[in-house]
Amino acid sequence: MFGYALTRIAVALGLIWAVVTLVFLIIHFVPGDPAELLLSQGGVAPDPAAVTELREKLGLDRPILAQYVSHIGGLLKGDLGSSLLDDHSVAEEIALRLPRTLELIFAASLIAVLFGLPLGTLAALRSGSAIDRVLAGVAGLGLSIPVFVVGTVAILVFAQKLHWVPAGGFVPFSRDPLQHLILLLMPASAIAVGLGAVVFRMTRSSVLEVLQRDYVRAAHAKGLRPSRIVLHHVLRNALIPVVTVLALHMGSLLGGTVLVEFVFNWPGLSGYLVRAVEQRDYPEVVGIVLVISIAFVLINLAVDLLYAVIDPRVRHG
Amino acid sequence: MSLTVSRRAVLAGAAALPLLRVPGARAASPGTLTFGLSSYPPSVLPWANTGTAAATVKLMIYRGLTGFAPDGSLRAELAESWAPEGTAAWVFKLRDAMFQNGEKVTSADVKWTIEQVVGEKSTAYLRSQMQAIEKVETPDDKTVRFVMKEPAATLPLLFANFHMPMIWRGSDAKSPVGAGPFVIKAQERGVSIDLEASDKYYKPGLPRLKAIRAIAYADENLRVAALQAGDVDLIEYVPWQSMEAISGDSRLALDAVDGPYMYLVFNAGKPPFNDARVRKAVAHAVKRDEVVKAAFFGRGSGLAHLPIPKASEFFNPAYENAWQFDAVLARKLLVDAGHPNGFTCSFLSTAQYGMHKDSAEIVQQNLAAIGIKAELNLPDWATRVTIGNKGQYDLAMMGDAADSNDPDGIAKAIDGSLSSSYTRSFGLKSDKISALIKAGRAEFDLAKRKAIYQELEALVIEEAPIVGLAWRSQGYAMQKRVTGFKNLPGALTFYAGTTFEDAAVG
């Protein structure tokens, strides 16, 4: 087991290195010079001497291998470098923004589970009924509507028409906890629509499958209360695929909340990545991708551990 | 197992929903204006050009020797007067003003500022223009004398530029001290900038606001939604598609002017666009009303001449429609240039900005009608800039705003003697055009300057170093309770931030 864990960690580290290298190379080889861009704001003509000066200052005149070695050296020392745009520490910026994106994802997951899990279970228990069909239809709709449409409609209805909530934005929790949570509600709900539909479907099919198992029939035969059977025998076993799917979606949401962050002006990591790519801010792009890669690996590791908690067979076998 | 919810509970829940209504994102403190920026400024360093959102914030915290009044005229700021000494020098007299740290604004600060801008390691936007100053003399604390290397009638205009504010000479490079009406109090990177009124501002009774909270809304639709929801008092860069709805909203006001412009640039370093007749054929092939309609929802106007706005005293109505649509003339010019069957060329634009892409698609269709098959290349903006600077295109779409309403403000688009840039045609050098630009800049007599620019425009109409397409309507929208804030005419629209000193929110 120890050897297996070591191998997994080694593979994960190799994967992270490969991703970082690939991103470093891609971002350097696509056209677009950060020094040129920096001096070309607002459609102005950059002075070539100023561009050369800035390239030297930013170290962009050095051979790409030297830039790569110095960057990897910095990463190994825990230094993610500084933004080419404003010299701000990439690590500090990520430390500021990552929690905002994670908060968004966890809030969305919580809402998705709160709705998806009980409704999925209900649909499975009432399989074939009108409730099942209606819920399946709603879930289908939730899956097929793009998140930016959900977000835009929510803003139109709840902010512009009803004036119940602000259209979007961000206030730090430390400054105004209530306002922070209110601003979190709409973007998290927008993500939760699709995610909740996934949880609903997965729960429904998984519960349906478990309901056919012999031990469930045996529990019924023993005369156990239906609620006890569902909670202790069905859900406990049906949850593994649900947790897997949810975790994988949470991982992909790390880089995939771009549209939601954009639509709701939520200053998280995804929006930061888009800006960094647009500006060809190499240290920022590599730093963000590195963090997302590590988070993805850690989430997968967490899922494996969660399996063991939910299903003792995994723990022992 | 059953799930039961009583009808009464549902009704009670529904009735409670409106009670969930919460105040907007804005801090509703009296005298504080909440402003929706189009992007978070990468920096507000005084002499760097980091975009128009940054420029607006810079106009809140810095002031130059001169500035622009709400009607677009040049006005005194830190300098109370100025006058040329022949054509060899300019003398500026400073007023009694203070920097935000309480230090007096002196000629030594002005000299230091110029030295920073023209310095060897400087990347200042106006570095090359300021290098026209031979030396800065400071006869006393209140007098600055600029000895020029060559005559420059436009020097007072340059000092009004938002990239040329005066800074206290003891400033740290990362925290410059300006003399504007507001001071940055706090910043939430990528989110917002909080500013408060400076009690050191030299204009009595100004600013009228106690504070400004500038929040970045990169998504234009959200920016509008935030205004309509009441989260913000004022927004910049109103999207064209929203202008009608805002105009029709009794709570809101729209202040829009035709300011920035769209135009075509050419690679004149190789055929076919090294021939002025071909460039002129393109100029006469474009249906400008279609560009305005499709790309700007009808908000703007056609531009069939050199981009000198009507707000400028140099605007010449005689040339207003010089490049008007004329397919017959366009085809004739192509035939004369040896392209009776047209030709195929690459057409660079960008998919990142809808106005660039949509304008390019209309032009592509118009050109096809006279036999020019333009193949669109739509990379992201960063790639487009690099390709443009290297001249790896035949024809390219461009959008820009002049530095001012003076014709010298568009030199960057048509002066081929400047270094290669994506903002002007690649490899297109015209000694006559460059000489006229230089002559206009050096002429101090207004009537003579006008004559020079008329000659220049006539030449540009013939040589077509660029082809004008459309004026873009550039708008600010605000709650009607906002007073004093005003858009500036023509190319000066991005100077509207100056009027934050007069703004109030009732």
Side-chain angles (χ1 to χ4, degrees):
Chain A
M1 180 66 191
F2 182 67
Y4 172 74
L6 275 184
T7 311
R8 280 213 56 214
I9 290 169
V11 169
L13 287 175
L15 203 64
I16 290 168
W17 170 77
V19 169
V20 167
T21 305
L22 202 64
V23 170
F24 182 87
L25 292 175
I26 289 172
I27 196 80
H28 273 76
F29 283 122
V30 292
D33 175 358
E36 212 169 36
L37 276 174
L38 208 56
L39 297 174
S40 301
Q41 298 281 346
V44 298
D47 177 356
V51 173
T52 307
E53 179 68 39
L54 192 58
R55 284 184 63 80
E56 276 176 30
K57 188 179 157 196
L58 300 175
L60 298 171
D61 58 328
R62 292 184 302 156
I64 191 160
L65 189 63
Q67 289 184 52
Y68 175 72
V69 169
S70 120
H71 190 71
I72 293 293
L75 291 183
L76 290 175
K77 285 187 281 186
D79 176 14
L80 296 181
S82 305
S83 162
L84 298 182
L85 203 63
D86 59 7
D87 205 28
H88 196 84
S89 158
V90 173
E92 275 180 28
E93 192 67 25
I94 290 174
L96 187 72
R97 288 174 176 258
L98 179 63
R100 296 175 188 163
T101 295
L102 289 178
E103 183 186 14
L104 195 58
I105 293 170
F106 283 119
S109 303
L110 188 67
I111 297 170
V113 169
L114 278 176
F115 285 91
L117 205 63
L119 292 177
T121 308
L122 178 69
L125 293 174
R126 301 281 176 85
S127 175
S129 70
I131 286 180
D132 182 28
R133 286 200 295 274
V134 168
L135 288 175
V138 171
L141 208 62
L143 270 179
S144 55
I145 301 178
V147 70
F148 65 89
V149 174
V150 176
T152 306
V153 170
I155 290 169
L156 180 71
V157 174
F158 298 112
Q160 286 172 267
K161 298 293 178 197
L162 298 173
H163 298 275
W164 286 2
V165 287
F170 177 83
V171 172
F173 189 83
S174 55
R175 183 191 282 186
D176 188 341
L178 179 65
Q179 189 76 343
H180 176 88
L181 292 174
I182 288 164
L183 287 164
L184 175 67
L185 187 65
M186 275 219 292
S189 301
I191 298 173
V193 169
L195 197 59
V198 170
V199 173
F200 167 84
R201 284 192 163 189
M202 210 60 217
T203 307
R204 183 184 176 279
S205 63
S206 192
V207 168
L208 269 178
E209 192 195 326
V210 175
L211 283 173
Q212 309 304 318
R213 298 276 170 84
D214 289 342
Y215 58 83
V216 177
R217 289 204 195 102
H220 278 292
K222 279 200 290 185
L224 291 180
R225 273 185 292 123
S227 57
R228 185 175 169 78
I229 295 171
V230 170
L231 288 174
H232 289 265
H233 297 278
V234 178
L235 272 182
R236 197 177 172 100
N237 290 293
L239 274 181
I240 286 187
V242 177
V243 169
T244 308
V245 168
L246 186 64
L248 288 176
H249 272 80
M250 285 171 74
S252 61
L253 279 174
L254 262 177
T257 54
V258 174
L259 283 173
V260 172
E261 290 190 359
F262 188 70
V263 168
F264 289 98
N265 217 28
W266 188 262
L269 201 61
S270 304
Y272 182 42
L273 178 60
V274 173
R275 196 209 66 161
V277 171
E278 275 179 7
Q279 297 289 343
R280 303 292 191 266
D281 201 329
Y282 306 146
E284 282 188 349
V285 175
V286 177
I288 300 165
V289 171
L290 176 72
V291 168
I292 290 177
S293 310
I294 291 172
F296 204 86
V297 169
L298 290 179
I299 286 174
N300 277 293
L301 198 64
V303 171
D304 288 348
L305 296 175
L306 203 57
Y307 280 176
V309 175
I310 294 171
D311 188 345
R313 286 174 300 177
V314 174
R315 207 160 47 219
H316 298 298
Chain B
M1 195 173 80
S2 66
L3 185 76
T4 54
V5 179
S6 74
R7 188 179 300 168
R8 187 174 297 170
V10 171
L11 288 174
L17 277 176
L19 300 177
L20 290 174
R21 182 175 173 151
V22 292
R26 74 192 223 92
S29 49
T32 297
L33 183 140
T34 314
F35 176 47
L37 280 170
S38 56
S39 66
Y40 187 83
S43 86
V44 287
L45 290 175
W47 308 302
N49 183 347
T50 50
T52 53
T56 304
V57 177
K58 280 157 67 169
L59 285 168
M60 298 174 191
I61 56 182
Y62 305 125
R63 280 294 178 266
L65 290 179
T66 57
F68 293 110
D71 66 357
S73 60
L74 191 68
R75 74 176 180 190
E77 288 288 349
L78 296 176
E80 61 183 4
S81 65
W82 57 91
E85 272 186 6
T87 58
W90 279 96
V91 177
F92 283 69
K93 292 281 183 190
L94 303 183
R95 71 170 73 246
D96 284 326
M98 265 193 266
F99 287 107
Q100 288 158 347
N101 60 357
E103 294 283 342
K104 284 182 179 174
V105 176
T106 67
S107 55
D109 296 298
V110 176
K111 186 172 191 287
W112 179 85
T113 294
I114 304 295
E115 284 168 357
Q116 305 312 302
V117 169
V118 300
E120 198 185 336
K121 300 283 181 188
S122 162
T123 54
Y125 174 67
L126 290 175
R127 184 186 183 211
S128 58
Q129 287 90 332
M130 287 295 143
Q131 282 174 335
I133 298 171
E134 173 83 46
K135 59 179 172 177
V136 183
E137 294 173 348
T138 53
D140 59 59
D141 273 2
K142 295 275 181 235
T143 310
V144 192
R145 185 167 180 269
F146 299 102
V147 179
M148 307 302 295
K149 288 178 188 165
E150 51 192 44
T154 53
L155 193 70
L157 269 179
L158 291 176
F159 282 129
N161 195 297
F162 39 49
H163 301 308
M164 201 51 233
M166 295 299 139
I167 301 299
W168 177 55
R169 65 185 187 280
S171 294
D172 175 68
K174 285 189 175 174
S175 50
V177 180
F182 295 93
V183 187
I184 291 182
K185 187 182 163 197
Q187 291 186 68
E188 180 78 30
R189 270 173 60 81
V191 182
S192 60
I193 302 173
D194 288 300
L195 303 107
E196 63 181 11
S198 165
D199 58 359
K200 306 287 189 305
Y201 194 47
Y202 62 88
K203 293 184 185 174
L206 298 182
R208 291 165 70 198
L209 288 167
K210 283 184 188 164
I212 297 175
R213 182 164 165 72
I215 304 172
Y217 290 90
D219 179 8
E220 59 185 22
N221 295 317
L222 186 67
R223 206 156 60 241
V224 173
L227 180 77
Q228 290 173 329
D231 300 347
V232 297
D233 298 307
L234 172 67
I235 60 168
E236 62 171 2
Y237 271 95
V238 177
W240 302 286
Q241 66 271 23
S242 303
M243 286 185 173
E244 195 173 335
I246 287 171
S247 299
D249 191 326
S250 59
R251 299 166 307 137
L252 305 176
L254 175 71
D255 190 354
V257 298
D258 282 0
Y261 58 95
M262 301 301 293
Y263 61 107
L264 294 171
V265 294
F266 306 93
N267 186 340
K270 60 178 184 176
F273 293 114
N274 58 349
D275 188 330
R277 289 169 298 185
V278 180
R279 300 196 295 269
K280 218 177 153 192
V282 170
H284 287 290
V286 180
K287 293 179 180 173
R288 291 168 175 81
D289 54 337
E290 287 185 2
V291 175
V292 173
K293 208 179 289 178
F296 303 105
F297 294 77
R299 297 281 171 166
S301 53
L303 170 60
H305 58 103
L306 197 61
I308 299 171
K310 283 184 181 170
S312 168
E313 57 189 332
F314 294 92
F315 174 76
N316 183 357
Y319 293 122
E320 193 171 3
N321 292 307
W323 283 327
Q324 67 185 345
F325 173 72
D326 186 340
V328 176
L329 176 59
R331 282 198 195 90
K332 181 182 176 303
L333 284 162
L334 277 187
V335 172
D336 291 349
H339 302 286
N341 301 314
F343 54 83
T344 300
C345 65
S346 68
F347 187 5
L348 177 65
S349 186
T350 175
Q352 195 166 323
Y353 302 118
M355 61 181 171
H356 282 252
K357 184 177 138 298
D358 295 344
S359 300
E361 284 169 352
I362 297 295
V363 171
Q364 183 190 35
Q365 288 170 21
N366 293 163
L367 293 183
I370 62 161
I372 298 176
K373 191 180 171 201
E375 291 168 350
L376 274 178
N377 179 16
L378 298 168
D380 72 327
W381 181 248
T383 308
R384 186 256 174 270
V385 168
T386 299
I387 293 176
N389 283 338
K390 288 181 180 168
Q392 294 166 339
Y393 65 93
D394 291 319
L395 177 65
M397 177 61 59
M398 190 53 210
D400 203 354
D403 284 342
S404 67
N405 287 335
D406 188 279
D408 197 50
I410 50 170
K412 62 183 179 180
I414 57 172
D415 189 353
S417 68
L418 299 170
S419 54
S420 295
S421 165
Y422 71 105
T423 61
R424 49 184 168 264
S425 291
F426 188 83
L428 201 159
K429 291 189 193 306
S430 166
D431 293 341
K432 284 184 189 169
I433 289 177
S434 298
L436 283 169
I437 290 170
K438 201 173 171 185
R441 196 177 290 151
E443 181 55 63
F444 285 70
D445 183 282
L446 183 63
K448 285 180 185 169
R449 280 195 88 205
K450 280 186 179 176
I452 290 170
Y453 287 123
Q454 282 192 18
E455 193 185 340
L456 173 69
E457 191 163 18
L459 192 61
V460 167
I461 297 299
E462 283 309 306
E463 292 196 6
I466 59 169
V467 164
L469 296 176
W471 291 107
R472 280 159 34 191
S473 183
Q474 193 71 30
Y476 293 84
M478 61 206 91
Q479 309 287 346
K480 282 199 172 149
R481 60 176 178 267
V482 175
T483 56
F485 182 88
K486 192 180 176 308
N487 203 345
L488 265 61
L492 300 176
T493 175
F494 296 118
Y495 284 84
T498 308
T499 67
F500 274 115
E501 65 182 31
D502 300 310
V505 56

